[in-house]
Amino acid sequence: MTHTRTESSEVSKVPLFLGGDFVESNSKKWIDVTNPANNQVIAQVPCATVDEIESAVKSAQAAFGEWKEVAVPERARLMLRYQHLLKENHDDLAVLLSSETGKTMADAKGDVWRGIEVVEQAANIASNMMGQFVENVATDIDSYSIIQPLGVCLGITPFNFPAMIPLWMFPLAIASGNTFVLKPSEQVPLTAMRLASLFEEAGAPKGVLQIVHGQEPQVSQLLAHPSIQAVSFVGSVPVAKSIYQQATDNFKRAQCFAGAKNHMVAMPDADKQQVISNLVGASIGAAGQRCMAISVAIFVGESNEWIVDLADEMQKHSPGIDADSAYGPLISKAAKQRVLSLIEQGKAQGATCVLDGSQCVVDSSPEGNWIGPTLFRGVTVDMSIYQQEIFGPVLVCIEVETLSQAIQLINDNPYGNGTSIFTNSGAAARQYQHQIRVGQVGVNVPIPVPLPFFSFTGWRGSFYGDLHAYGKQAVKFYTETKTITARWFEDEVVSGPNLTIQLK
């Protein structure tokens, strides 16, 4: 449960960003922001008041009237300036991000950089805002389409990527001519505020970006607000379902990225060491707190002999706060207890725990939310550790005889976020990518997150909506298409103070 305070504290208070100004909230409810590596309170974030939420949306709506008229190249130049500042401040952002997520510096830098890549794509907005034109759809009649922004858009982002995921959202939405209200995770608000500060420094007009903080009441108020036109969300399945339903019940466009259970298939013809090294990084990297983490390894045929060597390799990678640590802590004590519970359920339900990280202790920071690398084999699809998204450094192994069995198993799983296959067979890879019902597929690539000129395309229970994040689909999500059919009569007279032209 999130710890809240109602009294003032000496720790810094995270501001709101309203109308282009950083302001302290009048809220009576403040939430502790902790460093997961030691659980020390590093800041307090407010649950914004009803009036503050209303002020944010009104300010964004007012700013939209002017921002939508700004020339598309000028919007692109704002994004060019912004990505330059993000790059200049890359390492400082990573340090801040690490302090509130517990990520290692390598992970934190990667988080920031993947966000910068999306901002670079936002600087290419003009080519994605082009309409279509057909001359003479009928005699002397032309038809053409133009693309226009929606209005005020809303983003609700999770704790695990506090730079990348907000940067998935507001740069493309704003470059498309919209204004934006961001509600970052209350567990990691500091990075979002720094992103806003740099956006302001880049020359963003006042009001085009607002940041508010809070929990379910604040989100519900935003989702019900008539001025909000579109909602972007990343988070857990239950919350994604709730937000998608609330948004669509209020006649808003919505894209909600939900949970995952990502599988990696190891074929017996694959390079053994490549399989093992890639599985280790993809499963326990970032403490497994990635929606694209590999949490299920399917070993086909005699490749199951590699599981012992996989356990040996995983055991060499320890969590911690040092530069050479493999990964950091889980985000909170509650998250740690949930993962520990699932590990115990796996044991109780009959899986073999080949490597058990549940008793992990990091001597240099014993109060952190640590779990060591954990590996199960003998897992069946009815077990909790297979059915639930663990979101921790836990990898479960399933053994099958054929590729077709692996494909069927994955397609029977309710989620469809990401998957990968390791093989030296082009035929096997072709069969896999063609038959698998998952949005992002890697061939000898463990975590196939697309670069931002493509779109992040989770399927089935991993996504609620129609248009996905970044790439061309995001621009379509944040805009509407208007089609014009025009005819000009040739006997019309064009005239002015010193001009008269008879066209016919």
Side-chain angles (χ1 to χ4, degrees):
M1 180 179 295
T2 304
H3 177 60
T4 60
R5 296 182 179 181
T6 56
E7 298 178 359
S8 62
S9 171
E10 294 181 0
V11 299
S12 63
K13 292 184 179 293
V14 180
L16 306 170
F17 188 56
L18 305 177
D21 296 315
F22 293 93
V23 298
E24 183 171 319
S25 173
N26 292 317
S27 178
K28 297 287 193 271
K29 182 178 181 181
W30 294 76
I31 302 167
D32 286 344
V33 180
T34 59
N35 180 340
N38 53 29
N39 281 302
Q40 292 181 359
V41 177
I42 56 177
Q44 286 187 308
V45 63
C47 290
T49 67
V50 171
D51 288 346
E52 288 165 347
I53 296 286
E54 182 65 25
S55 174
V57 179
K58 281 187 174 181
S59 176
Q61 182 66 33
F64 174 66
E66 294 186 10
W67 179 244
K68 68 179 181 179
E69 303 300 339
V70 171
V72 175
E74 185 55 39
R75 295 186 220 148
R77 292 183 194 110
L78 170 62
M79 296 304 159
L80 285 171
R81 295 191 297 270
Y82 189 37
Q83 63 88 25
H84 176 71
L85 285 171
L86 289 170
K87 288 177 180 177
E88 278 192 338
N89 291 272
H90 176 271
D91 288 358
D92 289 341
L93 276 165
V95 170
L96 178 63
L97 190 152
S98 177
S99 73
E100 61 180 351
T101 62
K103 287 187 177 185
T104 64
M105 278 303 296
D107 274 341
K109 288 179 179 180
D111 187 334
V112 176
W113 185 255
R114 292 310 298 265
I116 290 172
E117 290 178 327
V118 183
V119 179
E120 289 176 341
Q121 177 67 9
N124 188 40
I125 191 61
S127 64
N128 289 310
M129 294 288 288
M130 296 173 71
Q132 296 175 307
F133 189 103
V134 177
E135 187 180 43
N136 281 338
V137 294
T139 303
D140 294 334
I141 296 177
D142 306 326
S143 278
Y144 51 99
S145 64
I146 59 176
I147 296 171
Q148 294 185 329
L150 297 175
V152 182
C153 300
L154 169 65
I156 305 164
T157 57
F159 75 83
N160 57 333
F161 284 96
M164 182 186 77
I165 295 180
L167 292 174
W168 276 11
M169 297 180 184
F170 74 80
L172 277 168
I174 291 172
S176 299
N178 303 283
T179 54
F180 204 87
V181 179
L182 175 66
K183 207 299 288 183
S185 167
E186 65 276 15
Q187 294 177 287
V188 291
L190 303 179
T191 301
M193 302 313 296
R194 183 62 180 141
L195 294 178
S197 175
L198 292 172
F199 195 49
E200 180 186 42
E201 188 177 339
K206 287 183 177 294
V208 298
L209 175 65
Q210 318 279 330
I211 299 183
V212 296
H213 305 290
Q215 297 175 306
E216 185 177 353
Q218 287 72 31
V219 170
S220 294
Q221 182 183 347
L222 288 164
L223 292 172
H225 200 289
S227 293
I228 300 288
Q229 302 300 314
V231 180
S232 302
F233 169 82
V234 178
S236 68
V237 172
V239 181
K241 287 182 177 179
S242 174
I243 286 178
Y244 185 75
Q245 184 168 1
Q246 288 183 68
T248 53
D249 282 351
N250 285 286
F251 306 104
K252 303 182 191 308
R253 189 174 295 185
Q255 54 175 200
C256 295
F257 297 83
K261 198 68 178 177
N262 304 314
H263 301 68
M264 182 174 130
V265 174
M267 296 296 289
D269 68 330
D271 183 289
K272 172 184 171 181
Q273 289 310 124
Q274 288 290 344
V275 168
I276 289 173
S277 62
N278 279 279
L279 264 177
V280 171
S283 62
I284 66 173
Q289 297 176 122
R290 296 186 288 209
C291 65
M292 287 290 285
I294 295 296
S295 58
V296 182
I298 302 179
F299 291 89
V300 178
E302 59 266 28
S303 68
N304 62 6
E305 298 171 3
W306 304 343
I307 296 176
V308 174
D309 293 326
L310 173 61
D312 290 341
E313 185 62 30
M314 289 180 70
Q315 197 164 20
K316 299 175 185 177
H317 295 73
S318 301
I321 58 175
D322 301 325
D324 59 351
S325 298
Y327 59 90
L330 272 71
I331 189 63
S332 66
K333 290 181 178 179
K336 176 182 177 179
Q337 289 305 313
R338 179 182 175 276
V339 174
L340 290 176
S341 174
L342 283 165
I343 292 173
E344 292 308 309
Q345 289 177 50
K347 297 173 185 176
Q349 292 170 4
T352 301
C353 192
V354 181
L355 181 63
D356 187 353
S358 58
Q359 302 303 314
C360 175
V361 176
V362 175
D363 293 335
S364 58
S365 187
E367 298 303 316
N369 308 314
W370 309 106
I371 292 182
T374 301
L375 180 67
F376 283 96
R377 72 181 304 176
V379 175
T380 57
V381 297
D382 58 338
M383 293 179 179
S384 299
I385 53 173
Y386 179 76
Q387 293 182 346
Q388 296 189 39
E389 183 178 26
I390 298 175
F391 231 57
V394 181
L395 179 64
V396 304
C397 300
I398 294 180
E399 301 161 45
V400 299
E401 291 299 319
T402 67
L403 176 58
S404 294
Q405 289 174 334
I407 291 171
Q408 187 63 53
L409 188 149
I410 296 168
N411 286 344
D412 286 343
N413 188 277
Y415 301 113
N417 208 35
T419 190
S420 59
I421 182 171
F422 273 65
T423 181
N424 282 319
S425 167
R430 174 64 171 78
Q431 178 186 352
Y432 191 77
Q433 71 183 43
H434 179 67
Q435 295 182 358
I436 210 72
R437 296 184 61 236
V438 175
Q440 284 135 165
V441 181
V443 177
N444 298 320
V445 173
I447 300 181
V449 177
L451 288 168
F453 31 83
F454 288 93
S455 292
F456 190 95
T457 52
W459 283 17
R460 298 187 285 139
S462 294
F463 179 72
Y464 300 95
D466 300 296
L467 294 166
H468 294 84
Y470 57 81
K472 292 181 180 179
Q473 289 197 37
V475 176
K476 289 183 179 180
F477 178 78
Y478 291 123
T479 59
E480 285 280 22
T481 299
K482 181 184 291 183
T483 302
I484 297 107
T485 302
R487 177 173 61 180
W488 297 95
F489 298 107
E490 290 189 1
D491 59 354
E492 196 171 323
V493 174
V494 179
S495 61
N498 301 304
L499 174 67
T500 299
I501 300 175
Q502 185 72 41
L503 296 179
K504 188 174 180 180

